[in-house]
Amino acid sequence: MSTPTPPTPSLRRATLVQIGGRLYGSATTFLTLALLARALERPEFGRFTFYLAAFALLDSISDLGLRTLLVQRTAAEPGRLAGLLPTARRARLLLAALGGLAVAGLAFALDEPGAVWIAVACLYPLTHAFELSTVAWTNRLAWGWPVACRTGGVTVRLALVLGALALGERRPAVFLLCIAAGSALANVALHVAARKELRGLPRALQERLALLPMIWAALPLGLAALCQQLYFYIDNLFVRVYSGDDELGLYNACARLMSFAIMVPIYAALAALPKLRREFAAGRLWPATLRLCAPLAAFGLVFGALGALLAEPILRLLFGAEFAAGADTLRWLFGAVAAVHVGAVLTTALVAAGANRAMLWIAALALLLNLTGNALVVPTYGIEGAASTTLLTELFVAAGALVWLRRAAYSADQKVTAEGSNSGPQVR
């Protein structure tokens, strides 16, 4: 007798739940940034956003594809998760420790004000090991508890920032510690809430994998994700070197708006991964990808166009009059927003197809393109050059994923269809 499977929420509901949580999280993030943009000098705000970008890279290093590997291996066979999870947690602890040491070392090497506070904040990725417990929910498209815990974490984060401001604090590194504390609390809460879900998993198919083989298996996905984070955030380094912390603060205000604007395709694609994985196994990946991609692409074009038209008033409203100078930069980034609405779905479909090396190639080439573009244009065109390079990079990712996916998905779908038509009735 098979183990009963808990009811699975719809993809639409899962996406809406995630977007609702993300809307709240983004609202608190924007309120935090708006308050700090007004409370800090713009160079200090620039340093603050620089380390926010470093923390995003630290998150990628801490995971290195482990979460996606777990979803790949357990979405269709949940019983495998219980055996793989302990090793994945140990791997995350190791990677988080190495990444945290690297970022803390950078702060001390640059003699940053508040380097000690930054080093303490770098401890928070260790709690990402607990966050892996939510894979059981991810496989069922059940995002209620994860969103609730994340919402609580960002609420605490905002409260800490408001409290520090009320006490007269104006050191960027202290606010970084507030951000890290909220994230760490959310990760621990997620683990505690997920324990009941983990206990209910079937145990018949437990699979064991040693630490280094697991890291090696996840490495193509992890390096691809790291490359994606690098080509999204590496422009911070170019802008800081060539234009200074003042322009970096202006640029990152625009970049944070872009991050908010791409939440729909990012979270729709994330929620769709288990479903697309099952569609791939059934030989229906290509049509399933098109059904998801078409409406997102249309929405992205309209949304990007409106954002470009309203760039100046948006910046003025959210960050203050002095940030309206970044309107042209934001227009370039809204072009990239439209490209991400296509690329996010296509790259997720590649992951669903198990095309991990293809993802790595696309992400690595995109990073190379981004580095070359930034090196060529940022010294002359500053933050507008960085933004235009971001647009070019996202267009390349979408085009590369489309070409690779069409070939891979068509071949796989044809193979599954042929196998199905050639198989007669099965005798049990």
Side-chain angles (χ1 to χ4, degrees), residues 283-349:
R284 299 188 298 263
L285 179 61
W286 180 247
T289 302
L290 290 181
R291 285 195 300 271
L292 180 60
C293 192
L296 283 174
F299 176 79
L301 286 172
V302 174
F303 187 54
L306 286 175
L309 287 173
L310 300 174
E312 185 172 338
I314 289 173
L315 286 169
R316 193 182 300 274
L317 173 66
L318 292 175
F319 298 106
E322 63 176 321
F323 284 86
D328 287 338
T329 298
L330 185 58
R331 292 186 181 101
W332 284 108
L333 292 178
F334 266 113
V337 166
V340 171
H341 275 73
V342 177
V345 178
L346 296 175
T347 53
T348 300

Short mmCIF file of all heavy atoms in Angstrom, two decimals, residues 283-349:
data_model
loop_
_atom_site.label_atom_id
_atom_site.label_comp_id
_atom_site.label_asym_id
_atom_site.label_seq_id
_atom_site.Cartn_x
_atom_site.Cartn_y
_atom_site.Cartn_z
N GLY A 283 7.39 13.92 -20.37
CA GLY A 283 7.60 14.26 -21.78
C GLY A 283 6.81 15.47 -22.24
O GLY A 283 6.52 15.61 -23.43
N ARG A 284 6.47 16.37 -21.30
CA ARG A 284 5.66 17.55 -21.66
C ARG A 284 6.33 18.85 -21.24
O ARG A 284 5.65 19.85 -21.02
CB ARG A 284 4.29 17.45 -21.00
CG ARG A 284 3.47 16.24 -21.41
CD ARG A 284 2.05 16.32 -20.85
NE ARG A 284 2.07 16.35 -19.39
CZ ARG A 284 1.87 15.27 -18.62
NH1 ARG A 284 1.68 14.09 -19.17
NH2 ARG A 284 1.89 15.38 -17.29
N LEU A 285 7.66 18.87 -21.14
CA LEU A 285 8.33 20.05 -20.60
C LEU A 285 8.17 21.27 -21.50
O LEU A 285 7.88 22.37 -21.03
CB LEU A 285 9.81 19.76 -20.38
CG LEU A 285 10.63 20.93 -19.83
CD1 LEU A 285 10.10 21.37 -18.48
CD2 LEU A 285 12.11 20.56 -19.72
N TRP A 286 8.38 21.11 -22.81
CA TRP A 286 8.35 22.27 -23.71
C TRP A 286 6.99 22.96 -23.71
O TRP A 286 6.92 24.18 -23.51
CB TRP A 286 8.76 21.85 -25.11
CG TRP A 286 8.76 22.96 -26.11
CD1 TRP A 286 7.94 23.10 -27.18
CD2 TRP A 286 9.62 24.11 -26.12
NE1 TRP A 286 8.22 24.26 -27.86
CE2 TRP A 286 9.26 24.89 -27.24
CE3 TRP A 286 10.66 24.54 -25.29
CZ2 TRP A 286 9.89 26.09 -27.55
CZ3 TRP A 286 11.30 25.74 -25.61
CH2 TRP A 286 10.91 26.49 -26.72
N PRO A 287 5.87 22.25 -23.94
CA PRO A 287 4.58 22.96 -23.90
C PRO A 287 4.26 23.54 -22.52
O PRO A 287 3.66 24.61 -22.43
CB PRO A 287 3.56 21.87 -24.31
CG PRO A 287 4.27 20.58 -24.15
CD PRO A 287 5.71 20.84 -24.36
N ALA A 288 4.66 22.84 -21.45
CA ALA A 288 4.41 23.37 -20.11
C ALA A 288 5.19 24.67 -19.89
O ALA A 288 4.69 25.62 -19.28
CB ALA A 288 4.81 22.34 -19.06
N THR A 289 6.42 24.73 -20.40
CA THR A 289 7.23 25.95 -20.27
C THR A 289 6.61 27.10 -21.04
O THR A 289 6.55 28.24 -20.55
CB THR A 289 8.66 25.69 -20.78
OG1 THR A 289 9.25 24.61 -20.03
CG2 THR A 289 9.52 26.92 -20.62
N LEU A 290 6.12 26.82 -22.24
CA LEU A 290 5.49 27.87 -23.04
C LEU A 290 4.24 28.42 -22.37
O LEU A 290 3.98 29.63 -22.39
CB LEU A 290 5.15 27.34 -24.43
CG LEU A 290 6.32 27.06 -25.38
CD1 LEU A 290 5.81 26.56 -26.72
CD2 LEU A 290 7.19 28.30 -25.56
N ARG A 291 3.45 27.55 -21.77
CA ARG A 291 2.23 28.00 -21.09
C ARG A 291 2.55 28.93 -19.93
O ARG A 291 1.79 29.87 -19.65
CB ARG A 291 1.43 26.79 -20.58
CG ARG A 291 0.69 26.02 -21.65
CD ARG A 291 -0.35 25.08 -21.05
NE ARG A 291 0.25 24.09 -20.15
CZ ARG A 291 0.71 22.92 -20.56
NH1 ARG A 291 0.64 22.58 -21.84
NH2 ARG A 291 1.23 22.08 -19.68
N LEU A 292 3.64 28.69 -19.25
CA LEU A 292 4.04 29.55 -18.13
C LEU A 292 4.72 30.82 -18.62
O LEU A 292 4.53 31.91 -18.06
CB LEU A 292 4.96 28.77 -17.20
CG LEU A 292 5.48 29.51 -15.95
CD1 LEU A 292 4.32 29.97 -15.08
CD2 LEU A 292 6.43 28.62 -15.16
N CYS A 293 5.50 30.70 -19.68
CA CYS A 293 6.34 31.81 -20.13
C CYS A 293 5.55 32.90 -20.85
O CYS A 293 5.82 34.09 -20.68
CB CYS A 293 7.44 31.27 -21.04
SG CYS A 293 8.75 32.46 -21.41
N ALA A 294 4.57 32.51 -21.66
CA ALA A 294 3.86 33.48 -22.51
C ALA A 294 3.21 34.61 -21.71
O ALA A 294 3.45 35.79 -22.00
CB ALA A 294 2.84 32.75 -23.38
N PRO A 295 2.39 34.32 -20.70
CA PRO A 295 1.78 35.44 -19.96
C PRO A 295 2.79 36.27 -19.18
O PRO A 295 2.63 37.49 -19.06
CB PRO A 295 0.78 34.74 -19.02
CG PRO A 295 1.26 33.34 -18.91
CD PRO A 295 1.90 33.02 -20.22
N LEU A 296 3.84 35.62 -18.66
CA LEU A 296 4.86 36.38 -17.94
C LEU A 296 5.62 37.31 -18.87
O LEU A 296 5.96 38.44 -18.49
CB LEU A 296 5.83 35.42 -17.25
CG LEU A 296 5.32 34.75 -15.97
CD1 LEU A 296 6.32 33.72 -15.48
CD2 LEU A 296 5.06 35.79 -14.88
N ALA A 297 5.90 36.86 -20.09
CA ALA A 297 6.60 37.70 -21.05
C ALA A 297 5.77 38.93 -21.41
O ALA A 297 6.29 40.06 -21.47
CB ALA A 297 6.93 36.89 -22.31
N ALA A 298 4.47 38.74 -21.64
CA ALA A 298 3.59 39.86 -21.98
C ALA A 298 3.52 40.85 -20.81
O ALA A 298 3.62 42.08 -21.00
CB ALA A 298 2.20 39.34 -22.32
N PHE A 299 3.37 40.33 -19.60
CA PHE A 299 3.31 41.19 -18.43
C PHE A 299 4.63 41.95 -18.25
O PHE A 299 4.63 43.14 -17.93
CB PHE A 299 3.02 40.35 -17.19
CG PHE A 299 3.03 41.13 -15.91
CD1 PHE A 299 1.95 41.91 -15.54
CD2 PHE A 299 4.13 41.10 -15.06
CE1 PHE A 299 1.96 42.64 -14.36
CE2 PHE A 299 4.16 41.81 -13.88
CZ PHE A 299 3.07 42.59 -13.52
N GLY A 300 5.75 41.26 -18.48
CA GLY A 300 7.04 41.89 -18.32
C GLY A 300 7.26 43.05 -19.27
O GLY A 300 7.83 44.08 -18.89
N LEU A 301 6.83 42.90 -20.51
CA LEU A 301 6.98 43.99 -21.48
C LEU A 301 6.18 45.22 -21.06
O LEU A 301 6.69 46.35 -21.12
CB LEU A 301 6.53 43.51 -22.85
CG LEU A 301 7.48 42.55 -23.58
CD1 LEU A 301 6.82 42.00 -24.84
CD2 LEU A 301 8.79 43.25 -23.93
N VAL A 302 4.95 45.01 -20.63
CA VAL A 302 4.11 46.15 -20.22
C VAL A 302 4.66 46.79 -18.95
O VAL A 302 4.78 48.02 -18.85
CB VAL A 302 2.66 45.67 -20.00
CG1 VAL A 302 1.80 46.80 -19.43
CG2 VAL A 302 2.05 45.17 -21.31
N PHE A 303 5.02 45.95 -17.99
CA PHE A 303 5.53 46.46 -16.72
C PHE A 303 6.84 47.21 -16.91
O PHE A 303 7.05 48.28 -16.33
CB PHE A 303 5.71 45.28 -15.77
CG PHE A 303 6.08 45.67 -14.36
CD1 PHE A 303 5.30 46.56 -13.65
CD2 PHE A 303 7.20 45.12 -13.74
CE1 PHE A 303 5.63 46.91 -12.35
CE2 PHE A 303 7.53 45.46 -12.45
CZ PHE A 303 6.74 46.35 -11.75
N GLY A 304 7.73 46.65 -17.73
CA GLY A 304 9.01 47.32 -17.99
C GLY A 304 8.82 48.66 -18.67
O GLY A 304 9.51 49.64 -18.34
N ALA A 305 7.90 48.73 -19.62
CA ALA A 305 7.65 49.99 -20.33
C ALA A 305 7.10 51.05 -19.38
O ALA A 305 7.52 52.22 -19.41
CB ALA A 305 6.69 49.74 -21.49
N LEU A 306 6.16 50.67 -18.54
CA LEU A 306 5.59 51.63 -17.59
C LEU A 306 6.64 52.11 -16.60
O LEU A 306 6.71 53.29 -16.26
CB LEU A 306 4.42 50.98 -16.84
CG LEU A 306 3.13 50.80 -17.62
CD1 LEU A 306 2.10 50.03 -16.80
CD2 LEU A 306 2.56 52.15 -18.05
N GLY A 307 7.46 51.18 -16.14
CA GLY A 307 8.52 51.57 -15.20
C GLY A 307 9.50 52.55 -15.82
O GLY A 307 9.94 53.50 -15.16
N ALA A 308 9.85 52.33 -17.08
CA ALA A 308 10.78 53.23 -17.76
C ALA A 308 10.17 54.63 -17.91
O ALA A 308 10.85 55.64 -17.74
CB ALA A 308 11.15 52.66 -19.13
N LEU A 309 8.89 54.69 -18.22
CA LEU A 309 8.21 55.98 -18.38
C LEU A 309 8.14 56.76 -17.07
O LEU A 309 8.24 57.99 -17.04
CB LEU A 309 6.81 55.77 -18.93
CG LEU A 309 6.70 55.36 -20.40
CD1 LEU A 309 5.26 55.01 -20.76
CD2 LEU A 309 7.21 56.48 -21.32
N LEU A 310 7.98 56.03 -15.96
CA LEU A 310 7.77 56.68 -14.65
C LEU A 310 9.01 56.64 -13.78
O LEU A 310 8.92 56.84 -12.57
CB LEU A 310 6.61 55.98 -13.93
CG LEU A 310 5.26 56.01 -14.64
CD1 LEU A 310 4.24 55.17 -13.89
CD2 LEU A 310 4.75 57.45 -14.78
N ALA A 311 10.17 56.42 -14.37
CA ALA A 311 11.39 56.22 -13.59
C ALA A 311 11.69 57.39 -12.66
O ALA A 311 11.97 57.19 -11.46
CB ALA A 311 12.57 55.98 -14.54
N GLU A 312 11.64 58.60 -13.16
CA GLU A 312 12.01 59.75 -12.33
C GLU A 312 11.06 59.96 -11.15
O GLU A 312 11.51 60.08 -10.01
CB GLU A 312 12.09 61.01 -13.18
CG GLU A 312 12.58 62.22 -12.39
CD GLU A 312 12.84 63.43 -13.28
OE1 GLU A 312 13.04 63.24 -14.49
OE2 GLU A 312 12.84 64.55 -12.74
N PRO A 313 9.73 59.98 -11.37
CA PRO A 313 8.85 60.15 -10.20
C PRO A 313 8.92 59.00 -9.21
O PRO A 313 8.74 59.20 -8.00
CB PRO A 313 7.45 60.27 -10.82
CG PRO A 313 7.57 59.79 -12.21
CD PRO A 313 8.98 60.05 -12.62
N ILE A 314 9.19 57.79 -9.69
CA ILE A 314 9.33 56.66 -8.76
C ILE A 314 10.51 56.87 -7.82
O ILE A 314 10.40 56.70 -6.60
CB ILE A 314 9.51 55.34 -9.55
CG1 ILE A 314 8.19 54.96 -10.24
CG2 ILE A 314 9.96 54.22 -8.64
CD1 ILE A 314 8.33 53.77 -11.17
N LEU A 315 11.66 57.24 -8.37
CA LEU A 315 12.84 57.48 -7.54
C LEU A 315 12.63 58.65 -6.58
O LEU A 315 13.03 58.60 -5.42
CB LEU A 315 14.05 57.74 -8.44
CG LEU A 315 14.64 56.52 -9.15
CD1 LEU A 315 15.65 56.96 -10.20
CD2 LEU A 315 15.29 55.57 -8.15
N ARG A 316 12.00 59.70 -7.09
CA ARG A 316 11.77 60.88 -6.25
C ARG A 316 10.85 60.53 -5.07
O ARG A 316 11.08 60.95 -3.94
CB ARG A 316 11.13 61.97 -7.10
CG ARG A 316 11.11 63.36 -6.45
CD ARG A 316 10.41 64.35 -7.36
NE ARG A 316 11.10 64.46 -8.63
CZ ARG A 316 12.13 65.28 -8.87
NH1 ARG A 316 12.58 66.03 -7.88
NH2 ARG A 316 12.69 65.34 -10.06
N LEU A 317 9.83 59.73 -5.35
CA LEU A 317 8.86 59.38 -4.32
C LEU A 317 9.47 58.46 -3.26
O LEU A 317 9.27 58.67 -2.05
CB LEU A 317 7.65 58.69 -4.96
CG LEU A 317 6.60 58.11 -4.00
CD1 LEU A 317 5.91 59.22 -3.22
CD2 LEU A 317 5.57 57.28 -4.77
N LEU A 318 10.24 57.47 -3.68
CA LEU A 318 10.72 56.45 -2.76
C LEU A 318 11.98 56.84 -2.00
O LEU A 318 12.14 56.48 -0.83
CB LEU A 318 10.96 55.13 -3.52
CG LEU A 318 9.72 54.42 -4.05
CD1 LEU A 318 10.11 53.21 -4.88
CD2 LEU A 318 8.82 53.98 -2.90
N PHE A 319 12.88 57.56 -2.66
CA PHE A 319 14.19 57.80 -2.05
C PHE A 319 14.52 59.28 -1.83
O PHE A 319 15.51 59.58 -1.18
CB PHE A 319 15.29 57.17 -2.91
CG PHE A 319 15.18 55.67 -3.01
CD1 PHE A 319 14.73 55.08 -4.18
CD2 PHE A 319 15.50 54.87 -1.94
CE1 PHE A 319 14.62 53.71 -4.28
CE2 PHE A 319 15.39 53.48 -2.03
CZ PHE A 319 14.95 52.90 -3.20
N GLY A 320 13.73 60.16 -2.39
CA GLY A 320 14.01 61.58 -2.23
C GLY A 320 14.44 62.23 -3.53
O GLY A 320 14.83 61.56 -4.49
N ALA A 321 14.38 63.57 -3.57
CA ALA A 321 14.62 64.31 -4.80
C ALA A 321 16.01 64.09 -5.36
O ALA A 321 16.19 64.03 -6.59
CB ALA A 321 14.38 65.80 -4.55
N GLU A 322 17.02 63.94 -4.51
CA GLU A 322 18.38 63.80 -5.03
C GLU A 322 18.59 62.51 -5.81
O GLU A 322 19.49 62.40 -6.64
CB GLU A 322 19.40 63.90 -3.89
CG GLU A 322 19.29 62.79 -2.87
CD GLU A 322 20.38 62.87 -1.82
OE1 GLU A 322 21.53 63.20 -2.17
OE2 GLU A 322 20.08 62.61 -0.64
N PHE A 323 17.73 61.50 -5.58
CA PHE A 323 17.87 60.23 -6.28
C PHE A 323 17.21 60.25 -7.67
O PHE A 323 17.39 59.31 -8.44
CB PHE A 323 17.27 59.10 -5.44
CG PHE A 323 18.15 58.68 -4.30
CD1 PHE A 323 18.09 59.33 -3.08
CD2 PHE A 323 19.06 57.64 -4.46
CE1 PHE A 323 18.91 58.96 -2.03
CE2 PHE A 323 19.89 57.26 -3.41
CZ PHE A 323 19.82 57.92 -2.19
N ALA A 324 16.48 61.31 -7.99
CA ALA A 324 15.88 61.41 -9.32
C ALA A 324 16.95 61.47 -10.41
O ALA A 324 16.66 61.20 -11.58
CB ALA A 324 14.97 62.64 -9.39
N ALA A 325 18.17 61.79 -10.05
CA ALA A 325 19.26 61.83 -11.03
C ALA A 325 19.55 60.47 -11.63
O ALA A 325 20.22 60.37 -12.67
CB ALA A 325 20.53 62.38 -10.37
N GLY A 326 19.06 59.40 -11.01
CA GLY A 326 19.29 58.05 -11.53
C GLY A 326 18.21 57.56 -12.47
O GLY A 326 18.17 56.36 -12.78
N ALA A 327 17.36 58.45 -12.99
CA ALA A 327 16.23 58.03 -13.82
C ALA A 327 16.67 57.27 -15.07
O ALA A 327 16.10 56.24 -15.43
CB ALA A 327 15.38 59.23 -14.19
N ASP A 328 17.70 57.77 -15.76
CA ASP A 328 18.16 57.08 -16.97
C ASP A 328 18.72 55.70 -16.64
O ASP A 328 18.53 54.74 -17.41
CB ASP A 328 19.21 57.92 -17.68
CG ASP A 328 18.62 59.15 -18.36
OD1 ASP A 328 17.41 59.13 -18.63
OD2 ASP A 328 19.36 60.12 -18.61
N THR A 329 19.40 55.59 -15.52
CA THR A 329 19.90 54.29 -15.09
C THR A 329 18.75 53.33 -14.84
O THR A 329 18.78 52.16 -15.27
CB THR A 329 20.73 54.46 -13.80
OG1 THR A 329 21.85 55.30 -14.07
CG2 THR A 329 21.21 53.12 -13.27
N LEU A 330 17.71 53.80 -14.18
CA LEU A 330 16.56 52.95 -13.88
C LEU A 330 15.85 52.51 -15.16
O LEU A 330 15.33 51.39 -15.23
CB LEU A 330 15.60 53.68 -12.95
CG LEU A 330 14.40 52.88 -12.44
CD1 LEU A 330 14.86 51.63 -11.71
CD2 LEU A 330 13.53 53.74 -11.52
N ARG A 331 15.85 53.36 -16.18
CA ARG A 331 15.20 52.98 -17.45
C ARG A 331 15.91 51.78 -18.08
O ARG A 331 15.27 50.86 -18.59
CB ARG A 331 15.18 54.18 -18.40
CG ARG A 331 14.25 55.30 -17.93
CD ARG A 331 14.13 56.43 -18.96
NE ARG A 331 13.26 57.47 -18.45
CZ ARG A 331 13.67 58.62 -17.92
NH1 ARG A 331 14.99 58.85 -17.84
NH2 ARG A 331 12.81 59.51 -17.48
N TRP A 332 17.23 51.80 -18.07
CA TRP A 332 17.97 50.63 -18.57
C TRP A 332 17.61 49.38 -17.77
O TRP A 332 17.42 48.29 -18.34
CB TRP A 332 19.47 50.88 -18.46
CG TRP A 332 20.05 51.80 -19.49
CD1 TRP A 332 20.49 53.07 -19.30
CD2 TRP A 332 20.28 51.50 -20.87
NE1 TRP A 332 20.97 53.60 -20.47
CE2 TRP A 332 20.86 52.66 -21.46
CE3 TRP A 332 20.05 50.40 -21.68
CZ2 TRP A 332 21.21 52.72 -22.80
CZ3 TRP A 332 20.40 50.46 -23.03
CH2 TRP A 332 20.97 51.60 -23.57
N LEU A 333 17.52 49.53 -16.46
CA LEU A 333 17.25 48.37 -15.61
C LEU A 333 15.83 47.85 -15.80
O LEU A 333 15.58 46.65 -15.66
CB LEU A 333 17.50 48.73 -14.14
CG LEU A 333 18.96 49.00 -13.78
CD1 LEU A 333 19.09 49.38 -12.31
CD2 LEU A 333 19.83 47.78 -14.08
N PHE A 334 14.88 48.72 -16.12
CA PHE A 334 13.53 48.23 -16.41
C PHE A 334 13.49 47.46 -17.72
O PHE A 334 12.64 46.59 -17.91
CB PHE A 334 12.52 49.38 -16.41
CG PHE A 334 11.84 49.58 -15.09
CD1 PHE A 334 12.06 50.72 -14.34
CD2 PHE A 334 10.98 48.61 -14.59
CE1 PHE A 334 11.43 50.90 -13.11
CE2 PHE A 334 10.35 48.78 -13.36
CZ PHE A 334 10.58 49.93 -12.62
N GLY A 335 14.39 47.77 -18.63
CA GLY A 335 14.53 46.92 -19.81
C GLY A 335 14.99 45.52 -19.42
O GLY A 335 14.50 44.51 -19.95
N ALA A 336 15.92 45.46 -18.47
CA ALA A 336 16.37 44.16 -17.97
C ALA A 336 15.25 43.42 -17.25
O ALA A 336 15.18 42.18 -17.29
CB ALA A 336 17.56 44.36 -17.03
N VAL A 337 14.36 44.16 -16.60
CA VAL A 337 13.21 43.54 -15.93
C VAL A 337 12.37 42.75 -16.93
O VAL A 337 11.95 41.62 -16.68
CB VAL A 337 12.35 44.62 -15.23
CG1 VAL A 337 10.98 44.06 -14.83
CG2 VAL A 337 13.07 45.16 -14.00
N ALA A 338 12.11 43.35 -18.09
CA ALA A 338 11.33 42.66 -19.12
C ALA A 338 12.03 41.37 -19.56
O ALA A 338 11.39 40.33 -19.76
CB ALA A 338 11.10 43.59 -20.31
N ALA A 339 13.36 41.43 -19.71
CA ALA A 339 14.11 40.24 -20.13
C ALA A 339 14.05 39.14 -19.07
O ALA A 339 13.95 37.95 -19.40
CB ALA A 339 15.56 40.61 -20.42
N VAL A 340 14.09 39.51 -17.80
CA VAL A 340 14.06 38.52 -16.72
C VAL A 340 12.72 37.79 -16.70
O VAL A 340 12.65 36.61 -16.34
CB VAL A 340 14.34 39.18 -15.36
CG1 VAL A 340 14.10 38.21 -14.21
CG2 VAL A 340 15.78 39.69 -15.32
N HIS A 341 11.64 38.45 -17.07
CA HIS A 341 10.33 37.80 -17.09
C HIS A 341 10.32 36.60 -18.05
O HIS A 341 9.52 35.68 -17.88
CB HIS A 341 9.25 38.80 -17.51
CG HIS A 341 8.71 39.61 -16.36
ND1 HIS A 341 9.42 40.62 -15.77
CD2 HIS A 341 7.53 39.53 -15.69
CE1 HIS A 341 8.71 41.15 -14.80
NE2 HIS A 341 7.56 40.51 -14.71
N VAL A 342 11.19 36.62 -19.04
CA VAL A 342 11.31 35.48 -19.95
C VAL A 342 12.40 34.52 -19.46
O VAL A 342 12.21 33.31 -19.36
CB VAL A 342 11.63 35.95 -21.38
CG1 VAL A 342 11.84 34.76 -22.32
CG2 VAL A 342 10.52 36.85 -21.90
N GLY A 343 13.56 35.07 -19.14
CA GLY A 343 14.71 34.25 -18.79
C GLY A 343 14.53 33.42 -17.54
O GLY A 343 15.03 32.29 -17.46
N ALA A 344 13.80 33.92 -16.53
CA ALA A 344 13.64 33.18 -15.29
C ALA A 344 12.92 31.85 -15.51
O ALA A 344 13.30 30.82 -14.96
CB ALA A 344 12.87 34.02 -14.27
N VAL A 345 11.89 31.87 -16.34
CA VAL A 345 11.13 30.64 -16.61
C VAL A 345 11.98 29.67 -17.43
O VAL A 345 12.01 28.46 -17.17
CB VAL A 345 9.82 30.96 -17.34
CG1 VAL A 345 9.07 29.68 -17.67
CG2 VAL A 345 8.95 31.88 -16.49
N LEU A 346 12.67 30.19 -18.44
CA LEU A 346 13.45 29.32 -19.32
C LEU A 346 14.60 28.66 -18.57
O LEU A 346 14.89 27.47 -18.77
CB LEU A 346 13.97 30.12 -20.51
CG LEU A 346 12.90 30.69 -21.46
CD1 LEU A 346 13.55 31.56 -22.52
CD2 LEU A 346 12.09 29.57 -22.11
N THR A 347 15.27 29.39 -17.72
CA THR A 347 16.38 28.80 -16.98
C THR A 347 15.88 27.79 -15.94
O THR A 347 16.52 26.76 -15.69
CB THR A 347 17.23 29.88 -16.28
OG1 THR A 347 16.38 30.72 -15.49
CG2 THR A 347 17.96 30.73 -17.30
N THR A 348 14.72 28.06 -15.34
CA THR A 348 14.14 27.10 -14.41
C THR A 348 13.76 25.81 -15.13
O THR A 348 13.93 24.71 -14.60
CB THR A 348 12.91 27.70 -13.71
OG1 THR A 348 13.31 28.87 -13.00
CG2 THR A 348 12.29 26.71 -12.73
N ALA A 349 13.26 25.93 -16.36
CA ALA A 349 12.92 24.74 -17.14
C ALA A 349 14.17 23.93 -17.46
O ALA A 349 14.13 22.69 -17.49
CB ALA A 349 12.21 25.15 -18.43
#
